[in-house]
Amino acid sequence: MALTTSRYGKDRVRVMRLTRSGDHHVPRELTLSVLLIGRFDAAWTEGDNRSCIATDSIKNIVNVTAAKNLSLDTEGFVAAVAEVLLKTYPQVEIVTIEAEETRWLRHAVDGVPHGHTFTRDGNGFGYVGLEARRAGSMLKSGLRGYTFMKTTQSGWAGFVADDYRTLPDTTDRIAATSMDATWTWSAQPADCETANARILATLLTVFGTTYSRGVQDSMYRMGEAVLAAVPEVTEIAFVMPNKHYVPIDLNPFGLENQGTVFLPTDEPHGRIEATISRTD
């Protein structure tokens, strides 16, 4: 029987390249599919793997190429990955790469673009909940799946140290979350749209412009700021999963990762919840 077509490679290779210029950061996050066509037929027909490149090596090539090309646009980056594969392996005849970009938009604080705070393009959706009774009603507004991050000014340190802990303390990490936030109105504001926009701006300003000792720390201060800024809000509830960006170990390739190349991963993730309410 004829082996008519064949190809293989690595799918859903996720990588974040972070260009740092002082306080001005540029994140470039991609999910890639890298597939190879070449002289690999014997792996199918004879169980002979001598020409095969490990798919783990393909992932490593993506990461090393990322470290060496932090500022290339997506088109230039996929071309650089393909060039490494074609130059390194004579048995490779065709490299097919598809890349999906997670687009991060620079957030502005008081009209000024912020150096390291970003919101995700095409972000989340609004939420309204109403419970109406004859004696009265309760109105809630909010956001679902609103995704944002900052690429510095965040840490996680001083937590429980026991036999199960493997995470080291860190005082500088990427902090990212896909937030569900729900605020309850004591009285409906004159203009809900304007009030909701003010709440979101307040949340992002506190998150982006203050040092975070953890999601819990930021969450509480974000809630406090909303209650102080919008008197019609009686409480605000958060669900904020911790979306991780793990520094990739480049030491096996003779490279040092200076906080510029990361593996984006959101499963499993931390889930942090809290409700902040007025005391009066």
Side-chain angles (χ1 to χ4, degrees):
M1 299 297 178
L3 178 65
T4 306
T5 62
S6 63
R7 65 176 182 171
Y8 81 105
K10 200 72 163 179
D11 205 9
R12 294 198 61 78
V13 180
R14 301 182 66 185
V15 65
M16 161 82 89
R17 295 173 291 149
L18 184 62
T19 304
R20 296 172 177 259
S21 179
D23 190 49
H24 185 84
H25 295 181
V26 179
R28 296 177 173 90
E29 181 176 344
L30 294 174
T31 302
L32 301 97
S33 173
V34 184
L35 295 173
L36 309 179
I37 296 174
R39 298 190 296 277
F40 306 115
D41 286 5
W44 274 267
T45 61
E46 301 172 31
D48 183 347
N49 297 325
R50 285 178 293 176
S51 294
C52 283
I53 305 146
T55 62
D56 189 64
S57 298
I58 297 172
K59 176 206 71 179
N60 291 337
I61 285 170
V62 170
N63 291 337
V64 171
T65 305
K68 294 179 177 180
N69 298 276
L70 294 175
S71 300
L72 280 183
D73 57 26
T74 302
E75 290 79 2
F77 178 66
V78 298
V81 172
E83 182 180 17
V84 172
L85 288 162
L86 290 169
K87 284 187 173 181
T88 306
Y89 304 105
Q91 66 270 42
V92 175
E93 296 170 355
I94 301 173
V95 178
T96 301
I97 303 177
E98 294 183 354
E100 296 179 355
E101 182 181 3
T102 299
R103 299 179 60 194
W104 291 102
L105 306 177
R106 191 173 301 279
H107 180 62
V109 176
D110 296 329
V112 179
H114 195 262
H116 56 256
T117 305
F118 303 88
T119 60
R120 186 168 177 170
D121 194 12
N123 212 347
F125 53 91
Y127 167 82
V128 172
L130 175 65
E131 181 181 292
R133 301 171 181 261
R134 296 186 184 280
S137 61
M138 178 181 293
L139 178 66
K140 299 183 179 183
S141 301
L143 294 162
R144 295 291 181 268
Y146 193 86
T147 303
F148 50 95
M149 76 170 178
K150 60 181 177 180
T151 51
T152 188
Q153 290 296 304
S154 172
W156 178 242
F159 51 98
V160 172
D162 58 19
D163 292 341
Y164 300 100
R165 172 176 162 173
T166 59
L167 287 177
D169 283 356
T170 180
T171 57
D172 188 9
R173 66 171 184 169
I174 293 177
T177 187
S178 179
M179 176 184 70
D180 290 353
T182 306
W183 43 94
T184 302
W185 303 104
S186 58
Q188 185 169 333
D191 186 336
C192 285
E193 186 173 340
T194 299
N196 288 335
R198 184 179 183 191
I199 289 169
L200 177 58
T202 300
L203 292 171
L204 292 175
T205 296
V206 173
F207 175 80
T209 62
T210 62
Y211 183 82
S212 172
R213 294 176 177 83
V215 175
Q216 295 90 331
D217 174 46
S218 287
M219 179 186 289
Y220 181 76
R221 289 184 291 104
M222 290 160 69
E224 275 191 316
V226 166
L227 295 175
V230 185
E232 296 92 345
V233 172
T234 184
E235 69 176 25
I236 182 167
F238 296 98
V239 178
M240 290 172 63
N242 202 349
K243 300 171 74 69
H244 300 289
Y245 288 81
V246 182
I248 293 172
D249 182 9
L250 299 171
N251 288 321
F253 314 105
L255 299 172
E256 184 180 353
N257 188 352
Q258 297 181 331
T260 55
V261 184
F262 300 86
L263 172 63
T265 177
D266 47 24
E267 293 180 356
H269 57 243
R271 179 183 172 103
I272 298 94
E273 301 184 16
T275 300
I276 297 92
S277 305
R278 296 188 185 278
T279 56
D280 49 0

